[in-house]
Amino acid sequence: MSTVTNRPQGNNLINDSLKRDDLHPEHYLTFLLRDEYFGISISSVKEIIEYDNVTSIPLMPDFVKGVLNLRGEVVPVIDLSIRFNKPATEVQKRTCIIIMEIPYDDQIVTLGAVVDSVCEVMEISDKSIESAPTFGAKIRAQFILGVAHIDEHFVILLRGDRVLSIDEMASIIDKVLE
């Protein structure tokens, strides 16, 4: 014996849509930079390391702090604060480097980004993300995925693959490899 239930199809579509959002929220690593909260998808984050042993390289753009040796791999390190037209990050006890993997020209490029401190990994659903502001932003709109309002503060969600433009990344990589 089977039971047939008549359900309106319109409600199923709405419920299925809500379930998908709840089942697949994006995870973001949140961090502080000059008292502002930022987030980046953990799909771009390889690891987080303590700020140490960054070797400066002459004639690099100001936002390039230098390079570090990550288990035999030479990794360029950028200062996100300078990249966003703010003063350089002051290295303190909680300063760390977020190691990111960014796709570029059919390969994955590894970069380090200096931040004041790392906060936590948060689940943020698409419906909680508002589009980037069109004016008043202190950083270029192309870097911003959106803004989420969480626990009485805003988290600026960054596009990991756009924090550096493709041309700038290629230029930095070429200089490091020379």
Side-chain angles (χ1 to χ4, degrees), residues 121-138:
V121 173
M122 304 177 82
E123 276 187 9
I124 302 175
S125 66
D126 286 346
K127 60 186 171 190
S128 300
I129 301 172
E130 297 178 27
S131 55
T134 54
F135 63 93
K138 296 176 184 171

Side-chain angles (χ1 to χ4, degrees), residues 1 12 36-37 45 53-54 61-62 69 80 85 88-89 95 100 106 121-122 124 138 142 164 173 178:
M1 183 190 266
N12 286 342
E36 291 183 79
Y37 288 89
V45 176
N53 295 323
V54 176
D62 288 346
N69 182 342
L80 277 183
N85 294 322
T89 300
T95 302
M100 298 185 290
D106 298 331
V121 173
M122 304 177 82
I124 302 175
K138 296 176 184 171
Q142 70 181 7
L164 291 176
I173 292 164
E178 289 177 354

Side-chain angles (χ1 to χ4, degrees), residues 63 83 140 143 163-173:
F63 65 87
R83 182 74 176 137
R140 285 193 228 168
F143 297 159
V163 172
L164 291 176
S165 75
I166 298 298
D167 290 338
E168 287 172 319
M169 277 198 300
S171 172
I172 292 168
I173 292 164

Side-chain angles (χ1 to χ4, degrees), residues 7-88:
R7 288 183 273 179
Q9 288 190 354
N11 287 343
N12 286 342
L13 292 175
I14 293 170
N15 289 337
D16 289 345
S17 174
L18 291 174
K19 288 177 187 172
R20 271 192 300 253
D21 277 345
D22 293 341
L23 293 175
H24 301 289
E26 185 80 31
H27 289 83
Y28 292 89
L29 173 69
T30 58
F31 56 92
L32 276 172
L33 200 59
R34 296 276 166 189
D35 297 327
E36 291 183 79
Y37 288 89
F38 290 89
I40 190 165
S41 171
I42 61 168
S43 64
S44 300
V45 176
K46 181 177 181 182
E47 63 184 280
I48 302 161
I49 61 173
E50 186 177 323
Y51 185 92
D52 195 21
N53 295 323
V54 176
T55 303
S56 64
I57 297 179
L59 305 176
M60 285 287 174
D62 288 346
F63 65 87
V64 178
K65 296 289 275 188
V67 294
L68 62 81
N69 182 342
L70 185 68
R71 294 180 290 280
E73 183 180 3
V74 177
V75 176
V77 177
I78 65 166
D79 186 332
L80 277 183
S81 186
I82 296 174
R83 182 74 176 137
F84 296 158
N85 294 322
K86 298 178 178 186

